[in-house]
Amino acid sequence: MTVHDFIVIYNESFKYIKDKYGAEALKDLWSTISKQWCTHLDGLVKEKGLEGMVEYWDGDDGTLGREQAVYSIKLENGLFTGIMHKCPSVGELVERNREICSGVPDYCDHCMALYAPIAEKYGIKMLWSIEHDSNGVCQGRCKWSAYQTPL
Amino acid sequence: MAPIKEWFGAYNVIFRWFEKNYGKEALTEYWRFLAESCFQETIERFKEGGLNEIDSYFREIFETDGGEYTSSLSENLLLCEIKKCPDHDFMKGSDNPCFKPIEDYCRHHDIINSVIAQKAGFSFCMSECSGEGQCRWMFKRQGRDF
């Protein structure tokens, strides 16, 4: 098992856990991943707030660049906005003919589940808007925004 | 999509979550599920290409991921030696305490490789494992002597 199969494994794991243990179990896993795995993001947001978020996703060593996402990110007047034009994660699942975890929650819900709690820890509100097709399957396109509270 | 090394740590977090919430048997069952659900392309590749292809597959992966892999191949037997496992290498280099491998971390390679090998017409054995990122594997063509 290597990181080359991670996205397929991630998606199948979500379906497995939801089917076997229920939706709340899957959300609990995401909460655990958020607390235990997203420590780099946590450190950046703690130290640099919204700029830390930009650095995490869009910096020289940012994850979205390394994952070869097609996206745009902006931090202006205290508002951080991002648009995912082509999520590499969903793209890989489609390319490899995988049935994307759908329903409630679905595959794309994991991003908000991982990142929004970290933002909230440091007084940052994060909002997400995910595109689905007519069958409710996520399309690999989404938008997110974040701002320090209170405004 | 380009993989990132941080995902090795994510595997460990997920495994620990399974073990803590549902026990070791549930974790083993999960690994079997992964082997049966996520590796169809790999199984077909092994079926078609045999031990040569198994060797190539692991050679490519370990090279790409910065591991160290050597092997010895005969007609019915492939012996693999992993001197540096990329998973352990990444996790050892991290100061995240949640990336300390769970006690049974290496068993996931044993379980998953065994299932994949069996479905492709081979048997697999992890003959040695240091638990620190060094191990030895054997893939054997089923029903054949060495």
Side-chain angles (χ1 to χ4, degrees), chain A residues 2 4 13 36-37 66 98, chain B residues 6 11 30 37 65 96:
Chain A
T2 78
H4 302 271
S13 298
Q36 295 184 8
W37 184 66
R66 285 190 286 135
R98 290 286 165 172
Chain B
E6 287 91 324
Y11 283 144
Y30 165 64
S37 310
D65 293 348
N96 184 342

Side-chain angles (χ1 to χ4, degrees), chain B:
Chain B
M1 172 166 196
I4 58 173
K5 283 203 167 185
E6 287 91 324
W7 292 339
F8 284 128
Y11 283 144
N12 193 59
V13 167
I14 294 169
F15 296 168
R16 182 183 287 107
W17 178 86
F18 255 102
E19 197 172 62
K20 181 186 169 204
N21 287 286
Y22 302 105
K24 284 184 192 271
E25 234 177 85
L27 176 56
T28 301
E29 201 181 315
Y30 165 64
W31 285 333
R32 285 194 197 287
F33 163 81
L34 293 182
E36 284 162 7
S37 310
C38 302
F39 293 94
Q40 288 92 335
E41 297 144 343
T42 307
I43 290 165
E44 286 310 309
R45 190 175 156 178
F46 287 4
K47 263 187 200 168
E48 282 175 28
L51 290 172
N52 255 314
E53 195 58 36
I54 297 175
D55 187 32
S56 295
Y57 172 84
F58 284 110
R59 193 172 296 282
E60 281 162 28
I61 284 173
F62 279 100
E63 198 172 297
T64 306
D65 293 348
E68 286 177 25
Y69 169 92
T70 57
S71 62
S72 163
L73 178 61
S74 62
E75 190 185 338
N76 297 316
L77 179 67
L78 170 66
L79 296 170
C80 313
E81 181 167 3
I82 290 92
K83 291 184 178 164
K84 185 169 93 168
C85 170
D87 308 40
H88 278 270
D89 191 53
F90 169 76
M91 289 192 281
K92 269 183 217 172
S94 169
D95 56 10
N96 184 342
C98 298
F99 289 178
K100 182 174 180 299
I102 62 166
E103 192 183 300
D104 287 345
Y105 184 85
C106 298
R107 271 193 74 236
H108 85 271
H109 292 302
D110 195 359
I111 302 282
I112 290 173
N113 284 348
S114 292
V115 172
I116 291 172
Q118 188 265 325
K119 286 183 175 295
F122 299 91
S123 63
F124 171 83
C125 167
M126 184 179 273
S127 54
E128 284 177 46
C129 175
S130 70
E132 297 278 329
Q134 298 84 35
C135 55
R136 288 198 168 115
W137 299 350
M138 285 187 343
F139 285 92
K140 189 161 76 81
R141 204 178 294 276
Q142 280 177 6
R144 305 282 183 93
D145 294 325
F146 299 133

